[in-house]
């Protein structure tokens, strides 16, 4: 990220801001397509849509041959609305369904939905196996139909006993974590599934989000062990998500070739042992969509507080929660609004006189509403070009876990979202209105 930008995804930032308003999320379709292409060695790329489930993004990844996971009834409905097909429990072993439900619980609505739509499930808790088996039995008693003879395959998500993430809050392995079936419980879960006539056709491990490759690589060893415990009913393995993405200047992209080779080795050895093909899935969220996105906000106040200089934006942690939740770092740049001060000189990093050391915050009535903070809430300043009210601040690498984690705190509307594809900026989510915010609320009549 250069300190000053004029455009994002080939579109003028001030024009985007004028046309769609701020705060505004903008996604560059070409970047998503490139990240998908990076992973082409894997048999199946299953997008963890929780990272960015805008319908237009889901449709885009679908057009590039990617399938999805869903962690809720809402995400299943999003996938359907974006054109993914339901069904798949009756596909032959090793075939990959377009939607898989992956979670540690079934709420009652979702349990009914997956059985009714035939959406395959990835169970992260032993209780899910019984609940799913019982629901299937209830449904087939209600509608006796074909396929009742072949046991449906399920995936088990295994917690291998260790995990790693960019923050303790995104580490999903080990005994501190609520995720997955404890690795020592696997043999017992195989029996549990058999009691419901369910075959374990796939295993899945996801040890955390934003892990490093060293930790991710250890998963291969654990996966191979676990698959051998289950045996040849396994036709597919999933490496989960967690691939890191560069947020800071100079951060290296992960060695995907080396990573694929490790997994490919596991897959090949298992295929040889089992005497049939084993398909290899990966389940990235962040990797596909983080870099494609920026949050564009307008600077609405510039103020000096003792030694500290603040830029206050019209976007806050209601729009991008990663800094307040994890102390996450996002690159930032200024886009000058020439309409407010035409012909201003453009500062560069090599021109320190024109740089300011600033703390960047939002509009919310809470002192933690700061974009430049570290884990633990320690406020940090950032070197940014001198800017004034009316200029724009572009927060980069915000396409993953940005808009999806937005809230209506302080009765602020969810931001608008724009997808830029083939040089065209499309509004893919309208900014919420006040009517949207209070929809469903009422004052009791007395
Ligand atoms: N698969 C499963 C089962 C997951 O739970 C997750 C993420 C993924 C895949 C995708 O992980 P990724 O490839 O994106 O690292 N809000 C946090 C991240 C939470 C991740 C939750 N699960 C953040 O903003 O960093």
């Amino acid at each position: 990220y250069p300190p000053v930008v004029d455009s994002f995804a080939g579109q003028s930032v001030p024009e985007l801001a004028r046309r769609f308003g701020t705060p505004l999320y903008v996604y560059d379709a070409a970047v998503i397509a490139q990240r998908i292409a990076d992973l082409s060695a894997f048999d199946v790329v299953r997008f963890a849509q929780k990272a960015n489930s805008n319908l237009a993004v889901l449709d885009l990844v679908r057009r590039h041959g990617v399938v999805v996971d869903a962690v809720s009834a809402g995400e299943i409905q999003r996938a359907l609305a974006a054109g993914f097909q339901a069904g798949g429990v009756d596909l032959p072993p090793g075939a990959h369904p377009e939607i898989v439900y992956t979670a540690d619980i079934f709420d009652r609505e979702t349990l009914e939905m997956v059985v009714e739509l035939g959406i395959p499930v990835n169970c992260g808790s032993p209780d899910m196996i019984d609940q799913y088996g019982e629901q299937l039995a209830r449904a087939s008693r209600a509608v006796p139909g074909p396929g009742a003879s072949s046991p449906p395959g399920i995936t088990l998500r295994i917690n291998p006993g260790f995990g790693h993430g960019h923050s303790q809050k995104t580490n999903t392995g080990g005994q501190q974590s609520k995720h997955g079936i404890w690795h020592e419980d696997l043999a017992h879960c195989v029996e549990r599934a058999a009691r419901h006539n369910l075959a374990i056709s796939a295993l899945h491990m996801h040890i955390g989000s934003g892990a490093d490759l060293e930790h991710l690589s250890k998963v291969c060893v654990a996966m191979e062990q676990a698959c051998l415990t289950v045996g040849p009913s396994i036709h597919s393995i999933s490496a989960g998500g967690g691939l890191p993405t560069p947020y800071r200047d100079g951060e290296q992209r992960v060695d995907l070739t080396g990573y694929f080779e490790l997994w490919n080795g596991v897959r090949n050895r298992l295929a040889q042992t089992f005497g049939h093909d084993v398909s290899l899935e990966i389940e990235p969220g962040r990797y596909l969509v983080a870099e494609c996105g920026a949050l564009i906000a307008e600077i609405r106040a510039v103020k000096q507080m003792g030694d500290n200089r603040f830029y206050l934006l019209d976007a806050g942690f209601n729009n991008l929660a990663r800094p307040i939740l994890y102390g996450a770092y996002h690159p930032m740049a200024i886009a000058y609004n020439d309409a407010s001060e035409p012909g201003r000189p453009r500062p560069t990093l090599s021109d320190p006189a024109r740089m300011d050391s600033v703390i960047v915050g939002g509009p919310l009535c809470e002192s933690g509403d700061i974009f430049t903070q570290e884990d633990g809430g320690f406020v940090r300043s950032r070197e940014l070009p001198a800017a004034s009210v009316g200029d724009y601040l572009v927060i980069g690498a915000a396409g993953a876990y940005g808009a999806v984690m937005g809230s209506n705190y302080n009765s602020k509307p969810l931001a608008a979202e724009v997808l830029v594809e083939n040089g065209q900026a499309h509004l893919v989510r309208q900014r919420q209105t006040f009517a949207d915010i209070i929809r469903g609320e009422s004052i009791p009549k007395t």
Side-chain angles (χ1 to χ4, degrees), residues 415-438:
E417 294 169 73
V418 161
L419 177 72
V420 180
E421 192 171 12
N422 301 324
Q424 298 287 318
H426 306 275
L427 181 65
V428 295
R429 184 193 175 105
Q430 290 175 3
R431 185 176 311 286
Q432 274 185 320
T433 61
F434 177 66
D436 294 332
I437 295 178
I438 58 163

Side-chain angles (χ1 to χ4, degrees), residues 70-78 80 101 103 105-119 121 128 131-132 135 138-139:
V71 298
S72 64
E75 285 195 355
I76 292 173
Q77 281 164 311
R78 277 185 178 277
L80 295 172
Y101 176 74
I105 66 148
F106 287 117
D107 56 47
R108 292 175 191 279
E109 177 193 10
T110 314
L111 181 57
E112 278 178 24
M113 188 183 275
V114 292
V115 168
E116 197 176 309
L117 298 177
I119 289 176
V121 298
M128 291 176 75
Q131 292 164 356
Y132 182 65
Q135 182 70 19
R138 270 195 294 275

Side-chain angles (χ1 to χ4, degrees), residues 48 50 157 166 206 209-210 241-242 283-286 322 326 401 405:
K50 62 182 77 89
R157 173 180 178 175
H166 68 76
H206 171 79
S209 193
E283 194 177 63
R286 184 189 316 277
R322 301 192 71 254
Y326 320 113
Y401 306 108
M405 292 173 75

Side-chain angles (χ1 to χ4, degrees), residues 46-51 69 71 102-104 122 157 166-167 169-172 179 204-211 238-245 247 282-290 320-323 325-326 328 330 400-402 404-405:
R46 187 172 297 286
F47 177 44
Q49 64 166 292
K50 62 182 77 89
D69 90 342
V71 298
T102 294
D104 297 288
N122 178 359
R157 173 180 178 175
H166 68 76
S167 148
K169 294 172 192 148
T170 67
N171 178 340
T172 61
H179 294 289
H204 167 278
M205 287 184 188
H206 171 79
I207 59 156
S209 193
S238 172
L243 287 178
T245 197
Y247 282 99
I282 187 163
E283 194 177 63
R286 184 189 316 277
Y287 187 80
L288 297 192
V289 291
L320 178 65
R322 301 192 71 254
L325 281 178
Y326 320 113
H330 283 266
Y401 306 108
V404 285
M405 292 173 75

Side-chain angles (χ1 to χ4, degrees), residues 272-325:
Q272 191 150 35
T273 311
F274 295 155
H276 58 66
D277 285 350
V278 173
S279 118
L280 176 57
E281 254 188 53
I282 187 163
E283 194 177 63
R286 184 189 316 277
Y287 187 80
L288 297 192
V289 291
E291 291 159 278
C292 79
L295 174 60
I296 299 175
E298 188 185 337
I299 299 175
R300 296 300 306 153
V302 176
K303 61 181 177 182
Q304 193 72 30
M305 311 287 278
D307 292 338
N308 290 330
R309 192 168 178 76
F310 286 77
Y311 289 174
L312 298 189
L313 315 177
D314 59 3
F317 73 72
N318 56 313
N319 302 113
L320 178 65
R322 301 192 71 254
I324 192 173
L325 281 178

